[in-house]
């Protein structure tokens, strides 16, 4: 049960209801067995399992703990692959599809085991998941998916409808899925890492990662030296093209709406749409009632969807409005919308994450990326798989998730994503969005042309204009203003910068340059 004392928020329900442990900044040179960059679910799970195995770990994050995409997730824990088993079988074969389902099942089991080991109060619950037809989709689609899911080893069944008032029509029921409160879970995992001797530093930006005999990670004037480095920054900051041409960044939108306790059957729900796919779950809530000194208990219906490629749309309010109308049409018991938030996920060309040795790098540099919308389980798989690789143990999923893989059967998706990226370079030749910085209102940003250059201009609330180069330092695409998030988003591989140009999301690991 999650307790809040406020009734409106633009942050995620997880952030609004958790006090994460505070960790110091790195202010000295350190030695460790393993240095992990990134303290989201992937980095912290890896740190926890390595600590359990007796390794000394140093974890670095340039924000507070778990303040990346883990903070804005919806935390469905599922072995039902978002890209559908039919696609996974097509890209990875029947054996690959089986191993994928097996690894996600193991990830949910791993989370459940950690909850028990550490006695974590994080609302972990086992429940059913339902895949139902979107309007216009035919039941054949479900029949084929059910057959592919069964070949992948899942005990799924067709049911006439989801257990909802709204008649969804036929659906596949997948038993034994899960959900939890991700930040409560990771707060306890971080404390366990520290109890086990692990050291965690926040607000410590890793400037440079280098493998070799003794790998090193530079953080401002300090260095962490280790036998191995894991880069778990969601989008790798140590890769220029090898991985980034095989995955694409997408923004996704979420709302949390109050519904009476028990009015919606507690389960995970997903529809069969592809681009505008909807995903739904519940979170039990308790709100402090100042008038009665008591608690008002209810459920928060968490609905996500309305995805688009990062930097290629700026209509957040419209997307949240469409989500709300979709939700109200199906869940008439919705009262107020209490939370709206958004985040970015990485879509890989073959539906599975990239976890293992970093391509074209030293043997002791590892990455975890390409969450494919399933980063809670992929992040947990990363913890298990990378721990085995670092300990020199065989792992049955190593080949499936190998970041160097070349999925020949996903060549179409590879071409489509990279043609889209190539198209973004045309922005170099277009006029500015405004002719002069004077046209930009306080609190807004826009790109303008100055001679051959493109300049990103943000006018702060006091009316002061901040100018920086609009050229993304990763591979030179032109960034776009995101009015809802007050960020500059790169439409090519998903680098994001705050309003004043400070990097907040890789692959770029440096800020936007000052405008010259
Ligand atoms: C709206 C939304 C809904 C989602 N829903 C689900 C879901 O229901 N189920 C599911 O399984 N997945 C879901 N996902 C995906 C999942 O939330 C993410 O894939 C997952 O949280 C990513 O975890 P991570 O540890 O890889 O990355 P992050 O949580 O992003 O952690 C990376 C960390 O690296 C740090 N970092 C970056 N660069 C540096 C640097 N140079 N130096 C130091 N630190 C650095 C960042 O500060 C950050 O804390 C969703 C994602 C979104 C956006
Ligand atoms: S993220 Fe690659 S060019 Fe911007």
């Amino acid at each position: 049960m999650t307790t809040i004392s406020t009734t409106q928020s633009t942050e995620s329900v997880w952030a609004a209801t958790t006090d994460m442990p505070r960790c110091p900044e790195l202010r000295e040179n350190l030695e460790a067995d393993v240095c992990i960059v990134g303290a989201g679910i992937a980095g912290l799970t890896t740190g926890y399992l390595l600590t359990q195995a007796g390794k000394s770990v140093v974890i670095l994050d340039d924000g507070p703990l778990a303040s990346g995409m883990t903070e804005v997730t919806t935390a469905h824990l599922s072995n039902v692959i978002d890209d559908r088993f039919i696609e996974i079988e097509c890209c990875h074969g029947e054996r690959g599809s089986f191993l994928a389902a097996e690894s996600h099942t193991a990830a949910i089991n791993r989370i459940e085991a950690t909850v028990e080991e550490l006695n974590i109060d994080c609302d972990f619950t086992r429940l059913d998941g339902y895949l139902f037809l979107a309007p216009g989709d035919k039941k054949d689609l479900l029949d084929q998916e059910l057959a592919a899911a069964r070949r992948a080893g899942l005990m799924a069944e067709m049911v006439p409808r989801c257990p909802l008032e709204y008649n969804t029509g036929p659906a596949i029921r997948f038993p034994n899925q899960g959900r939890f409160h991700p930040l409560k879970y990771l707060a306890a995992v971080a404390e366990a890492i520290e109890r086990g001797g692990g050291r965690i530093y926040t607000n410590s930006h890793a400037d440079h990662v280098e493998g070799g005999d003794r790998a090193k990670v530079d953080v401002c004037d300090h260095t962490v030296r280790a036998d191995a480095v894991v880069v778990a920054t969601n989008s790798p900051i140590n890769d220029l093209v090898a991985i980034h041409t095989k995955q694409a960044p997408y923004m996704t939108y979420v709302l949390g709406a109050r519904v009476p306790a028990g009015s919606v059957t507690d389960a995970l729900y997903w529809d069969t749409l592809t681009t505008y796919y909807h995903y739904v779950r519940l979170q039990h809530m308790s709100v402090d009632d100042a008038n009665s000194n008591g608690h008002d208990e209810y459920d928060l219906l968490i609905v996500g969807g309305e995805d688009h490629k990062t930097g290629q749309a700026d209509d957040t309010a419209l997307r949240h409005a469409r989500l709300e109308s979709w939700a109200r049409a199906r869940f008439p018991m919705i009262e107020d919308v209490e939370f709206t938030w958004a985040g970015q996920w990485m879509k890989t060309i073959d539906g599975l994450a990239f976890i293992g040795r970093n391509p074209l790098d030293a043997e002791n540099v590892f990455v975890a990326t390409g969450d494919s919308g399933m980063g809670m389980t992929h992040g947990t798989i990363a913890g298990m798989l990378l721990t085995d690789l670092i300990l020199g143990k065989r792992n049955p999923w190593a080949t499936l998730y190998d970041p160097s893989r070349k999925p020949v059967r996903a060549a179409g998706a590879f071409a489509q994503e990279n043609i889209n990226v190539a198209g973004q370079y045309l922005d170099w030749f277009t006029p500015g969005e405004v002719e002069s910085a004077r046209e930009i209102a306080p609190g807004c940003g826009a790109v303008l042309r100055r001679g051959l250059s493109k300049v990103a201009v943000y006018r702060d609330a006091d009316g002061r204009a901040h100018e920086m180069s609009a050229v993304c330092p990763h591979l030179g695409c032109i960034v776009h203003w995101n009015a809802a998030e007050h960020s500059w988003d790169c439409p090519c591989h998903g680098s994001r910068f705050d309003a004043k140009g400070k990097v907040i999301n890789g692959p770029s690991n440096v800020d936007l340059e000052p405008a010259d």
Side-chain angles (χ1 to χ4, degrees):
M1 171 94 58
T2 286
T3 306
I4 59 168
S5 54
T6 161
T7 52
Q8 287 219 323
S9 180
T10 51
E11 58 186 348
S12 75
V13 60
W14 323 121
T17 54
T18 323
D19 284 325
M20 291 302 280
R22 285 172 192 274
C23 304
E25 273 178 46
L26 183 73
R27 293 189 191 280
E28 58 184 327
N29 295 330
L30 292 177
E31 303 274 334
D33 292 331
V34 183
C35 178
I36 299 169
V37 185
I41 190 164
L44 288 173
T45 306
T46 309
Y48 175 64
L49 296 179
L50 283 168
T51 308
Q52 294 275 350
K55 292 284 176 193
S56 69
V57 300
V58 167
I59 303 179
L60 304 167
D61 199 291
D62 62 5
L65 268 187
S67 59
M69 292 308 110
T70 297
E71 186 183 88
V72 292
T73 187
T74 51
H76 294 221
L77 301 175
S78 179
N79 55 14
V80 181
I81 311 288
D82 270 15
D83 272 28
R84 307 276 167 265
F85 285 105
I86 299 170
E87 284 303 314
I88 297 299
E89 210 177 82
C90 179
C91 289
H92 301 275
E94 211 172 301
R95 175 77 187 147
S97 182
F98 176 86
L99 289 173
E102 179 190 73
S103 60
H104 285 268
T105 304
I108 307 174
N109 294 344
R110 178 65 258 172
I111 291 170
E112 185 171 37
T114 305
V115 169
E116 281 168 15
E117 273 157 30
L118 301 177
N119 196 16
I120 310 176
D121 179 9
C122 64
D123 311 315
F124 176 87
T125 306
R126 289 280 186 174
L127 71 187
D128 289 339
Y130 292 88
L131 178 67
F132 63 94
L133 285 176
D137 279 348
K138 300 269 179 316
K139 180 160 174 292
D140 276 9
L141 191 89
L142 288 184
D143 290 333
Q144 287 166 19
E145 184 61 10
L146 176 61
R150 285 186 174 157
R151 285 193 294 275
L154 295 191
M155 305 276 290
E157 63 166 355
M158 189 71 74
V159 292
R161 57 185 286 177
C162 296
L164 294 172
E165 262 179 41
Y166 165 75
N167 188 354
T168 57
I172 307 177
R173 184 179 77 88
F174 293 92
N176 229 11
Q177 308 299 301
R179 65 158 168 77
F180 69 161
H181 187 307
L183 293 192
K184 287 186 183 172
Y185 172 76
L186 289 174
V189 168
E191 283 165 356
I193 292 170
E194 291 191 319
R195 278 199 304 279
R199 290 159 287 173
I200 308 178
Y201 299 89
T202 50
N203 300 313
S204 303
H205 180 77
D207 299 313
H208 180 66
V209 173
E210 195 175 308
D213 270 356
R214 196 77 178 134
K216 65 174 195 147
V217 179
D218 295 326
V219 177
C220 201
D221 295 333
H222 303 294
T223 300
V224 181
R225 291 193 175 271
D227 293 335
V229 181
V230 172
V231 176
T233 52
N234 191 232
S235 179
I237 48 145
N238 55 335
D239 175 275
L240 205 57
V241 288
I243 291 179
H244 295 295
T245 47
K246 296 193 289 187
Q247 65 182 17
Y250 280 76
M251 290 299 291
T252 185
Y253 297 83
V254 183
L255 60 81
R258 178 190 272 251
V259 295
S263 62
V264 176
T265 305
D266 196 2
L268 308 180
Y269 302 96
W270 318 287
D271 70 14
T272 50
L273 282 178
T274 42
T275 312
Y276 296 110
Y277 152 78
H278 297 97
Y279 45 101
V280 180
R281 64 164 277 188
L282 289 175
Q283 175 66 28
H284 298 310
M285 304 287 287
S286 165
V287 64
D288 290 335
D289 185 337
N291 296 328
S292 67
N293 278 339
H295 290 299
D296 176 11
E297 291 185 3
Y298 62 98
D299 288 338
L300 194 72
L301 186 76
I302 302 176
V303 182
E306 289 291 333
D307 302 15
H308 65 79
K309 222 172 156 185
T310 299
Q312 299 188 19
D314 183 17
D315 51 3
T316 300
L318 176 69
R319 285 177 195 262
H320 278 134
R322 282 208 297 246
L323 262 189
E324 184 175 344
S325 83
W326 182 91
R328 285 193 186 277
R330 286 156 183 82
F331 301 94
M333 63 292 282
I334 286 181
E335 296 165 2
D336 295 334
V337 172
E338 295 188 346
F339 296 86
T340 55
W341 71 87
Q344 178 172 279
W345 61 283
M346 307 304 297
K347 180 179 173 59
T348 65
I349 56 172
D350 61 4
L352 295 180
F354 297 112
I355 304 166
R357 292 204 162 78
N358 191 37
L360 312 174
D361 206 336
E363 286 276 289
N364 56 351
V365 180
F366 300 86
V367 284
T369 185
D371 60 80
S372 305
M374 305 186 70
M376 295 289 106
T377 38
H378 269 141
T380 306
I381 294 167
M384 296 188 281
L385 174 47
L386 295 179
T387 298
D388 281 352
L389 293 180
I390 289 168
L391 296 179
K393 288 189 185 163
R394 216 195 132 267
N395 183 292
W397 314 315
T399 308
L400 186 70
Y401 289 108
D402 182 359
S404 298
R405 69 183 184 266
K406 296 188 175 56
V408 179
R409 281 177 277 188
F414 177 84
Q416 196 183 340
E417 288 298 356
N418 287 293
I419 288 168
N420 177 293
V421 168
Q424 303 310 313
Y425 285 95
L426 293 175
D427 281 351
W428 273 88
F429 307 105
T430 56
E433 292 158 342
V434 291
E435 291 209 344
S436 134
R438 281 192 298 277
E439 294 171 48
I440 302 170
C444 297
V447 173
L448 55 88
R449 173 167 289 287
R450 195 169 286 154
L452 291 178
S453 311
K454 285 228 159 165
V455 182
V457 183
Y458 166 66
R459 189 174 295 286
D460 65 25
D462 298 329
R464 208 147 53 89
H466 303 264
E467 295 194 351
M468 49 242 131
S469 165
V471 179
C472 173
H474 176 228
L475 287 176
C477 287
I478 301 295
V479 296
H480 292 194
W481 176 245
N482 176 337
E485 307 281 319
H486 275 212
S487 60
W488 297 101
D489 298 352
C490 180
C492 285
H493 314 101
S495 292
R496 300 180 64 211
F497 308 84
D498 74 10
K500 295 181 186 171
K502 185 174 183 312
V503 66
I504 49 176
N505 228 111
S508 174
N509 198 27
V510 294
D511 303 340
L512 292 177
E513 286 186 4
D516 55 26

